[in-house]
Amino acid sequence: MKVLYSVEMKNITKRFSDTVANDSVNFSVKKGEIHSLLGENGAGKTTLMKTLYGMYQPNEGEIFINGHKEKIENPAKAISLGIAMVHQHFMLVEPLTAAENVVLGYEPKKGMFFNLDKAREEVTQISEKYGLKVDPLEKVEDLPVGAKQRLEIIKGLYRKADILILDEPTAVLTPLEVEDLFKVLRKLKEAGKTIILITHKLKETMEIADRVTVLRSGTIVYTAEKTETSPEKLAEMMVGRKVSFEVKKNPVEHEKKTVLELKKACYSKNKVKILNELSLNIKSGEILGLAGVEGNGQTEVIEALTGLIPLEKGEILLQGERITDLSPIKRIKAGIGHIPEDRNKRGLVEDFSIKENLILGYHRKSDFCRKGILKNNNIAKFASKIRTQFNIKTVDVDTEAAALSGGNQQKIVIGRVLSQEPKVIIAAQPTRGVDIGAIEYIHNKLMEMKEAGKAILLISAELDEIMKLSDRIAVIYEGQIVAEDEADNFDEYKLGALMTGSK
Amino acid sequence: MKKIVACLLCLMMVLSLTVGCGQKAAQDNAEDGNAEEATAKIGVVLGIGGLGDKSFNDNGYAGIVRAKDELGIAFDYVEPKDLAEFETYHREFSQDGQYDLIIGLGFDQADAIKKVAQEFPEQKFLLIDGVVEAPNVASAIFKDYEKACLIGAFAGQVTKTNKVGVVGGMDIPLINAFVAGYQAGAKYINSDAEVLVNYVGAWKDPNTAKEMAISMYDKGADIVLQAAGGSGLGVFSAAEEKDKYAIGADVNQNALSPDHIVVSAVRRLDNVIYDQIKKVVDGNWESGVFNLGLKEEAVSYALEDSNIEMPQEYIDKVEELKAKIIAGELVIPNKIEDVDKFLTDNK
Amino acid sequence: MKKLLKFIYKTDLLFSLAAFILALLISGIIISLSGYSPWEAYVTMTAGAFGSPNAVAKTLAKATPLIFTGLAVAFSFKGGLFNIGAEGQLYMGGFAAALVGIYVQGLPGILHLFLAVVAAGIVGGLWSTIAGYLKIKRGTHEVIVTIMLNYIAIFLTNYFVSYPFKAEGMIPRTEELPASLQLTRLLPHSQLTTGLLMGIAFALIVAWFMKNTVYGYEIKAMGFNQDAAEAGGVNLKRGILLTMFISGFLAAMAGVTEVLGVHGYFIKGFSPGYGYDGMAVAVMGRNNPLGVVVSAILFGALRSGGMLLDRVTDIPGDFVVIIQALVIIFIATPAIIKKVMKKKERRQGNGN
């Protein structure tokens, strides 16, 4: 019997002005399977799927849907062919209700009028059938992230989609929510739907997918049944070389001393309490992981420690000395190294050269400047050294930082901080938007620093990362630390529950 | 597509700007037609603002055009964009060497002409409305108080209440000379006439000027002269509101409010410039400071464009006065304190 | 030569040049549509701008104030601020220079000149710093404040020079400055003075400052990415004040070269909008100090070419204004599009 393919993309090439995002890609998905499209950031996964969904037109190549050649000029055409895509950034109209969002553009009508009851009914029906829990009358802006995602799936199903594309669906979810999502996906599969899952996470792929395709720099390098492959093999294909996953957590032997202390910190924005008497102890030779769902005060903890926002109450002590009122530059000088959570916002000046970025925050140090005059020679020498040491891939250090990949940009930020021998390192989302190779590298560097006796605060949205690196974990929820203990005493589920406030 | 539309729109807008220039070109080309056998060549540096101001520059330009038509001269003119260009243009005209006379319109060209006239002692210059004392510069200034006297004579006859008013721009000698002439004229022709005087204190404040004019009308004046530049427009709206008479100044302003403005005091830059060019053509041009008045037809009055018919007997009387001034029988005072003496002397 | 090419490429000056040529082409079409010969226009303009030593002097004299206002605007752009107030700053600065020139006496010439220049710079700088101060204290946008300060500066100096400090005569101007204070003319009987050399020197100083000082580094960081600069320990408040001060200082120098150079006294309305033209110059010069010098000279050439056009042909000199406007449209529009695209690309890049 001939295998039935829902999607066949043949020799797809997509170019953006000077870069090739997809190069002669052959990609096919069998009917009724969950297919994981795996690859690092920038490998071309999203581009390929946006091409399938009609948002981009391929420069070359053909697309077959259920065996018929189709030209997909726009998303509307894709929808008519039974394709739905759940984007990483949800395409929902916030002030409308869930039901209204679902039917938007395909409204059930009663005569000339919008039939709200019918809409609600249909939404409820779909939601019950697949276990997609959403209150149809709730306004979207009031829905939690997980519900918004479910709503997007319902929207696709309402439009009679048979092929569902999900772009990094787990990036915004807690472990429990991920579990729920996977249950839904399995149900959908049972109902005969075809699902394409864009992801860079190996664990998820191994858990849910039937088949895997790996994209690397715009080309397909590997396709296999899940049962015939292994995470190691997939990682190797993604990165192009062997990768070791294990980070050895060597506990540091010598005595741990508190280096940086946040005491009963309070901070409000627009009269909303964001930090509520929050205390943290960061000790030498230890990585303290701060786990939490984004928006629970992590950003404010970072900014308070680095002096970017003033505290209303409470104090900050560095090796016992009060630094609550010091300016950011003085804190940097005192030894607080900061790897900002948003590289493009706080971390890098993209229009600056690599060289200039590498001294940002340390530019007034005597190594780099004397009486207000920059020592350009020293800076260039220093930059070349760091570039080699931190393996920043670039032609020269005069290149604009904007020209580099996310991983290499992050290496600039990390190289900048680690090379200055800080006493404390505040590492916020150190591997966000960074490829596997660089993640491995950054993790190892952080471990090295810990072993060298630095005190490290790790803030990450990736629970895996927190669990893998931390010696101790503190969970932040609504501006308070709700739990703090040795890392071994937590597991993913316990953390997930604490993060979402259900104790 | 949108881009193309935007481009076209832009182009259209730019083109519409140039239409005006196109018209000027046609005119200029006609001028060039008889440039070959020109009797003299004149360079003109207009004041900032250039042509189209319906006042100073246009008035002066008219004299040059008349000289071209009647005397067969040729001319080039420039419209400077900033103060620094005055000097450059005068110097460039001078360096060229082919201009028999270079005319600068406006007192703010005095420094530029002074500087360049020294560099080119052979080059003749004419400065309008300002003074440069140099052997190769003729400076034309105006006896504005003489025209004010005629205007005053009109006012003195037109008034039924024997009260006339004047709203001055500022309490400065230039305006006071004007006021003095006006008082002298009004009282000379009508010994019962009383003249109300007030000053706005600004050149661009028509509201205050209006208030002042209204209070004059309320006090019984039935005709008010504006001598306040841009503020003067307020006098006209006061006249409209109170349905009384007003008098214009500087240029013929009658058309601004033809049912209320009976006469305007005017300068005749065109006549002055024409005369100077004629002297160049005739070969009897000379430098010096020329204080020009009625005799030289440099100042005058205008009745055209007003809907109010001026009785012929009034005009005759004013012309009579004018003849006396031209003949030198009457010397019009240019200071307010001299007005009484003038009146007692000429009873 | 190779270095020069690299510089042109790196600073996008090529792009500016292309826009300039495109503007000339389109203006040519407009000129011919209006019934004139574009060939005649451009030949005349070239002659007027570069045809003789006098023409070159005129071009450079016109460029001189634009170099300063261009530098002033470019400097504020570098710091991420928009100083629209160069016009007011140059009036304030020019007036301060005139006052020092007239009323401070008994100093040796050079020292006196130096004092006048510094006083002008400080007054212009402080005038501009008002906008910076209000921005950091009250959050008012510097664009609005600098525009309003322009009016205040212009009318204030108008008043001063029409009444308390007016020289004898009809013209609203101060007394003539002592000869020792007037800038030397590089070509006799021209308006080209040592102000030009001052302009070039200041451009070099600004370039050096930006590249080699920690303040320049911080200002650039602030201009490119305020958040990152803040996290990198840059004191934003101080940065804003410093940027506005230096920008105002530079703008004031345009007043100095006109008052001490071209006119020899402070005269009401001496600037036909140099401060605003400075924005165009900065945009065309890509905010690069040396680019600013080049583009100021091009603008100067347009103006002096336009003067000859006005004088010897029937073609109205106002065409120059059209050319200028087109240059700005062609340069500014793609630059804006480019910036937007870059931002978009980055956003998409992050989403991947």
Side-chain angles (χ1 to χ4, degrees):
Chain A
M1 198 184 107
K2 197 179 163 238
V3 186
L4 205 61
Y5 285 105
S6 285
V7 176
E8 286 170 280
M9 300 178 83
K10 292 187 177 165
N11 287 316
I12 298 288
T13 297
K14 175 67 191 167
R15 280 181 283 266
F16 292 108
S17 55
D18 45 357
T19 53
V20 183
N22 291 145
D23 191 3
S24 307
V25 168
N26 286 298
F27 175 63
S28 43
V29 182
K30 286 180 199 161
K31 195 165 171 52
E33 71 173 353
I34 298 182
H35 194 118
S36 171
L37 184 57
L38 195 64
E40 295 188 343
N41 291 295
K45 304 171 303 238
T46 302
T47 305
L48 187 66
M49 286 302 104
K50 283 187 172 170
T51 307
L52 177 60
Y53 191 57
M55 293 171 78
Y56 293 143
Q57 295 307 309
N59 298 89
E60 287 158 35
E62 300 170 325
I63 299 173
F64 295 83
I65 303 296
N66 296 324
H68 300 287
K69 187 175 168 185
E70 302 284 357
K71 188 164 164 41
I72 307 175
E73 295 102 349
N74 49 44
K77 179 74 188 284
I79 292 166
S80 74
L81 290 168
I83 304 171
M85 185 160 178
V86 177
H87 296 274
Q88 217 170 342
H89 305 284
F90 303 133
M91 309 281 180
L92 295 170
V93 185
E94 298 264 317
L96 295 185
T97 64
E100 284 167 335
N101 260 286
V102 167
V103 299
L104 196 66
Y106 301 84
E107 298 90 350
K109 284 177 190 153
K110 201 189 219 166
M112 275 179 66
F113 299 100
F114 175 53
N115 188 344
L116 184 64
D117 291 337
K118 180 110 187 287
R120 193 175 52 196
E121 210 174 286
E122 291 199 29
V123 170
T124 316
Q125 216 180 336
I126 297 170
S127 123
E128 277 169 6
K129 186 170 170 193
Y130 298 104
L132 289 155
K133 269 170 278 168
V134 177
D135 177 359
L137 294 184
E138 188 89 42
K139 277 191 182 165
V140 166
E141 57 197 5
D142 299 329
L143 289 178
V145 183
K148 284 186 189 173
Q149 190 176 59
R150 291 194 288 276
L151 189 61
E152 284 275 17
I153 298 173
I154 294 174
K155 196 163 94 181
L157 296 172
Y158 171 78
R159 293 169 180 183
K160 310 269 180 279
D162 289 321
I163 302 163
L164 215 62
I165 307 166
L166 298 158
D167 191 356
E168 302 271 5
T170 59
V172 292
L173 302 180
T174 60
L176 275 175
E177 285 176 313
V178 171
E179 194 116 304
D180 285 342
L181 174 70
F182 285 177
K183 274 185 209 153
V184 170
L185 294 186
R186 289 195 187 98
K187 270 195 188 166
L188 288 168
K189 183 183 148 191
E190 278 166 31
K193 310 277 181 197
T194 307
I195 294 163
I196 304 171
L197 193 70
I198 306 176
T199 183
H200 64 272
K201 289 179 185 161
L202 299 172
K203 218 176 92 188
E204 288 169 6
T205 301
M206 295 308 291
E207 189 179 337
I208 188 118
D210 300 313
R211 256 178 2 123
V212 191
T213 294
V214 180
L215 260 178
R216 188 168 77 227
S217 346
T219 52
I220 299 240
V221 290
Y222 184 67
T223 304
E225 298 289 329
K226 190 208 22 215
T227 47
E228 292 163 6
T229 186
S230 66
E232 289 73 22
K233 177 73 184 166
L234 289 176
E236 191 188 327
M237 291 329 287
M238 277 168 77
V239 182
R241 63 178 165 81
K242 286 219 187 302
V243 182
S244 91
F245 283 110
E246 292 308 309
V247 178
K248 267 175 260 149
K249 249 193 227 178
N250 295 333
V252 176
E253 293 306 324
H254 51 76
E255 198 191 349
K256 292 175 182 171
K257 274 194 246 158
T258 297
V259 182
L260 185 64
E261 207 174 348
L262 186 62
K263 273 185 171 172
K264 298 200 163 177
C266 289
Y267 178 76
S268 332
K269 200 153 84 186
N270 303 329
K271 296 192 178 148
V272 178
K273 267 218 152 115
I274 310 244
L275 297 185
N276 191 1
E277 303 222 331
L278 185 144
S279 300
L280 275 180
N281 266 320
I282 307 161
K283 294 180 182 147
S284 59
E286 181 180 275
I287 296 184
L288 172 63
L290 186 61
V293 176
E294 270 185 67
N296 273 291
Q298 293 96 318
T299 305
E300 286 72 19
V301 168
I302 300 163
E303 308 223 314
L305 289 175
T306 50
L308 296 170
I309 55 171
L311 285 182
E312 273 153 31
K313 264 192 268 170
E315 54 182 351
I316 305 164
L317 303 177
L318 180 66
Q319 292 178 323
E321 268 179 62
R322 192 182 142 92
I323 58 162
T324 322
D325 303 315
L326 287 190
S327 65
I329 189 101
K330 286 198 176 133
R331 295 195 204 193
I332 294 170
K333 216 173 155 192
I336 298 183
H338 177 200
I339 300 168
E341 58 176 344
D342 187 339
R343 174 170 66 239
N344 300 99
K345 187 177 170 219
R346 287 282 195 195
L348 278 178
V349 177
E350 291 202 323
D351 300 88
F352 260 177
S353 64
I354 295 168
K355 187 169 80 179
E356 286 169 310
N357 268 302
L358 277 171
I359 60 165
L360 186 64
Y362 301 95
H363 52 276
R364 280 177 182 269
K365 268 184 68 171
S366 60
D367 296 0
F368 304 133
C369 131
R370 187 168 158 268
K371 287 183 179 161
I373 311 288
L374 292 175
K375 296 176 177 170
N376 281 328
N377 284 338
N378 281 12
I379 294 168
K381 263 185 232 153
F382 166 77
S384 305
K385 195 182 88 192
I386 299 299
R387 173 189 157 203
T388 331
Q389 200 179 327
F390 284 82
N391 196 18
I392 301 167
K393 283 172 204 138
T394 161
V395 190
D396 59 32
V397 291
D398 295 318
T399 313
E400 267 186 24
L404 299 186
S405 70
N408 281 309
Q409 286 184 341
Q410 190 68 2
K411 283 181 191 167
I412 297 178
V413 178
I414 286 172
R416 170 169 82 207
V417 172
L418 300 193
S419 63
Q420 297 298 336
E421 294 292 318
K423 292 174 187 146
V424 188
I425 299 165
I426 297 167
Q429 318 293 358
T431 58
R432 175 177 281 176
V434 158
D435 53 51
I436 289 199
I439 290 176
E440 184 193 12
Y441 182 83
I442 291 166
H443 283 174
N444 285 334
K445 275 285 171 193
L446 286 175
M447 287 318 244
E448 260 174 47
M449 284 289 139
K450 177 187 103 176
E451 277 155 29
K454 312 285 181 206
I456 299 175
L457 175 64
L458 172 71
I459 298 105
S460 176
E462 307 272 348
L463 265 192
D464 288 351
E465 185 168 54
I466 297 258
M467 306 223 0
K468 199 156 87 180
L469 298 180
S470 309
D471 300 296
R472 224 152 35 95
I473 294 176
V475 182
I476 187 170
Y477 177 71
E478 295 193 338
Q480 285 180 313
I481 299 296
V482 290
E484 188 178 343
D485 206 344
E486 295 297 317
D488 299 339
N489 297 337
F490 288 102
D491 63 28
E492 224 167 280
Y493 297 100
K494 190 173 169 194
L495 277 179
L498 286 164
M499 280 160 66
T500 48
S502 48
K503 283 174 196 175
Chain B
M1 186 58 207
K2 257 188 199 159
K3 241 189 223 165
I4 298 173
V5 173
C7 283
L8 282 176
L9 268 177
C10 257
L11 206 67
M12 295 257 291
M13 268 151 62
V14 175
L15 279 178
S16 68
L17 277 178
T18 60
V19 170
C21 310
Q23 283 163 351
K24 175 196 159 193
Q27 195 183 326
D28 278 3
N29 287 337
E31 283 154 20
D32 284 356
N34 52 11
E36 290 149 27
E37 66 265 29
T39 45
K41 195 155 187 204
I42 311 294
V44 184
V45 180
L46 294 168
I48 287 177
L51 293 181
D53 63 354
K54 306 240 182 290
S55 178
F56 193 75
N57 287 313
D58 281 352
N59 191 207
Y61 186 75
I64 298 157
V65 172
R66 192 177 133 211
K68 183 196 65 147
D69 293 343
E70 296 179 12
L71 306 172
I73 58 119
F75 70 92
D76 288 314
Y77 72 93
V78 289
E79 299 172 276
K81 309 237 177 335
D82 66 78
L83 297 171
E85 286 183 1
F86 287 147
E87 186 187 323
T88 313
Y89 274 130
H90 280 292
R91 185 173 290 118
E92 285 181 352
F93 274 129
S94 306
Q95 278 166 346
D96 215 318
Q98 55 166 319
Y99 295 95
D100 300 290
L101 179 70
I102 300 170
I103 304 174
L105 270 77
F107 67 88
D108 44 5
Q109 299 196 25
D111 282 347
I113 288 180
K114 191 173 168 188
K115 210 181 262 178
V116 179
Q118 268 170 5
E119 291 168 27
F120 299 90
E122 300 300 315
Q123 174 69 52
K124 300 185 183 84
F125 292 92
L126 168 63
L127 173 63
I128 301 291
D129 205 21
V131 175
V132 169
E133 293 188 38
N136 54 336
V137 180
S139 309
I141 49 176
F142 297 86
K143 294 181 188 168
D144 287 320
Y145 51 92
E146 289 193 349
K147 70 181 180 193
C149 178
L150 300 189
I151 293 300
F154 274 118
Q157 295 181 92
V158 168
T159 178
K160 302 275 189 296
T161 58
N162 288 337
K163 268 189 189 172
V164 302
V166 50
V167 175
M170 289 192 188
D171 189 358
I172 54 171
L174 188 79
I175 293 299
N176 281 331
F178 204 74
V179 172
Y182 181 72
Q183 283 178 329
K187 291 182 176 173
Y188 175 83
I189 217 110
N190 178 353
S191 52
D192 294 332
E194 191 190 332
V195 181
L196 307 175
V197 183
N198 210 342
Y199 302 92
V200 181
W203 302 111
K204 282 180 187 166
D205 186 3
N207 288 329
T208 307
K210 184 176 172 182
E211 289 307 315
M212 286 176 174
I214 285 179
S215 97
M216 284 177 184
Y217 290 130
D218 287 346
K219 280 181 195 156
D222 56 358
I223 183 162
V224 175
L225 161 70
Q226 78 88 357
S231 307
L233 296 174
V235 174
F236 303 147
S237 52
E240 284 167 14
E241 207 171 296
K242 292 277 165 186
D243 196 21
K244 305 276 183 184
Y245 291 139
I247 303 174
D250 300 333
V251 291
N252 184 350
Q253 293 184 315
N254 297 352
L256 290 177
S257 182
D259 295 325
H260 297 94
I261 304 179
V262 294
V263 60
S264 286
V266 297
R267 274 186 183 180
R268 297 299 299 267
L269 255 57
D270 51 341
N271 288 342
V272 173
I273 287 175
Y274 176 84
D275 284 348
Q276 285 280 326
I277 294 175
K278 189 164 187 309
K279 282 182 185 168
V280 170
V281 173
D282 298 343
N284 56 8
W285 182 89
E286 49 192 22
S287 62
V289 178
F290 300 98
N291 201 347
L292 306 171
L294 291 172
K295 189 179 173 189
E296 297 81 11
E297 290 182 51
V299 294
S300 182
Y301 61 86
L303 295 167
E304 302 85 13
D305 301 334
S306 174
N307 295 339
I308 300 146
E309 184 119 357
M310 186 64 76
Q312 190 58 44
E313 48 166 318
Y314 293 180
I315 300 175
D316 291 342
K317 273 202 166 170
V318 169
E319 285 294 324
E320 201 179 301
L321 175 64
K322 183 176 163 185
K324 280 186 186 167
I325 296 171
I326 290 173
E329 290 170 35
L330 286 178
V331 180
I332 307 304
N334 59 3
K335 291 193 181 96
I336 292 178
E337 52 267 34
D338 295 342
V339 173
D340 288 339
K341 188 173 177 294
F342 164 81
L343 291 171
T344 43
D345 289 354
N346 298 294
K347 266 268 157 71
Chain C
M1 190 63 203
K2 218 172 171 182
K3 224 175 160 184
L4 183 76
L5 281 176
K6 201 181 159 194
F7 171 77
I8 288 173
Y9 180 77
K10 214 178 130 190
T11 51
D12 264 358
L13 282 181
L14 211 61
F15 186 74
S16 289
L17 207 68
F20 188 76
I21 290 168
L22 192 63
L24 287 184
L25 278 175
I26 303 234
S27 309
I29 295 171
I30 295 170
I31 291 173
S32 68
L33 283 177
S34 313
Y36 306 106
S37 150
W39 177 248
E40 187 194 2
Y42 288 140
V43 167
T44 311
M45 280 178 63
T46 313
F50 302 110
S52 65
N54 279 326
V56 173
K58 197 166 67 173
T59 294
L60 295 177
K62 294 236 162 228
T64 304
L66 296 180
I67 292 177
F68 287 108
T69 54
L71 282 176
V73 176
F75 194 92
S76 73
F77 279 161
K78 285 270 183 197
L81 297 165
F82 291 88
N83 178 10
I84 315 289
E87 187 74 3
Q89 291 144 22
L90 73 87
Y91 271 104
M92 292 305 283
F95 194 70
L99 286 193
V100 170
I102 297 164
Y103 296 101
V104 176
Q105 275 160 358
L107 281 177
I110 276 289
L111 205 64
H112 194 183
L113 180 65
F114 182 75
L115 185 68
V117 171
V118 170
I122 289 175
V123 169
L126 290 178
W127 193 254
S128 155
T129 309
I130 295 173
Y133 180 79
L134 288 174
K135 188 184 176 82
I136 63 174
K137 280 289 166 202
R138 290 265 169 268
T140 27
H141 202 284
E142 72 277 6
V143 165
I144 312 226
V145 179
T146 48
I147 288 176
M148 299 219 219
L149 283 173
N150 279 347
Y151 289 105
I152 300 175
I154 290 167
F155 287 118
L156 193 67
T157 53
N158 274 357
Y159 169 77
F160 281 150
V161 81
S162 303
Y163 297 99
F165 299 101
K166 184 172 169 293
E168 285 292 305
M170 300 175 81
I171 302 172
R173 67 168 175 86
T174 63
E175 282 161 41
E176 184 128 3
L177 296 165
S180 61
L181 212 61
Q182 295 195 18
L183 301 177
T184 314
R185 308 223 163 210
L186 295 180
L187 194 73
H189 302 315
S190 78
Q191 293 180 335
L192 179 62
T193 66
T194 43
L196 175 75
L197 306 181
M198 233 171 94
I200 293 169
F202 267 92
L204 292 171
I205 291 170
V206 169
W208 180 86
F209 178 89
M210 277 299 173
K211 189 163 177 275
N212 291 298
T213 70
V214 78
Y215 311 103
Y217 174 88
E218 291 193 348
I219 286 171
K220 276 191 291 181
M222 188 174 83
F224 286 136
N225 184 344
Q226 230 179 50
D227 294 317
E230 194 187 16
V234 176
N235 184 333
L236 295 182
K237 290 180 179 174
R238 204 174 51 194
I240 288 169
L241 292 179
L242 183 69
T243 306
M244 289 307 281
F245 181 82
I246 295 179
S247 177
F249 192 104
L250 290 167
M253 292 303 113
V256 167
T257 58
E258 294 304 281
V259 169
L260 301 188
V262 173
H263 296 283
Y265 41 74
F266 182 98
I267 180 166
K268 180 176 157 183
F270 69 81
S271 165
Y274 294 132
Y276 301 108
D277 286 351
M279 288 187 260
V281 169
V283 169
M284 187 161 138
R286 301 266 144 194
N287 297 333
N288 175 297
L290 303 178
V292 163
V293 173
V294 174
S295 81
I297 291 174
L298 271 179
F299 271 77
L302 278 180
R303 292 295 285 270
S304 64
M307 283 177 77
L308 191 71
L309 199 63
D310 202 2
R311 190 162 67 79
V312 305
T313 70
D314 300 333
I315 307 167
D318 288 335
F319 267 122
V320 170
V321 181
I322 296 179
I323 298 176
Q324 270 185 22
L326 287 173
V327 168
I328 295 165
I329 290 172
F330 289 141
I331 292 179
T333 325
I336 292 165
I337 292 172
K338 217 169 150 187
K339 196 139 204 178
V340 171
M341 293 297 281
K342 215 172 170 185
K343 278 224 173 107
K344 225 174 169 179
E345 254 170 48
R346 270 181 212 168
R347 214 172 296 139
Q348 279 178 353
N350 290 347
N352 236 350

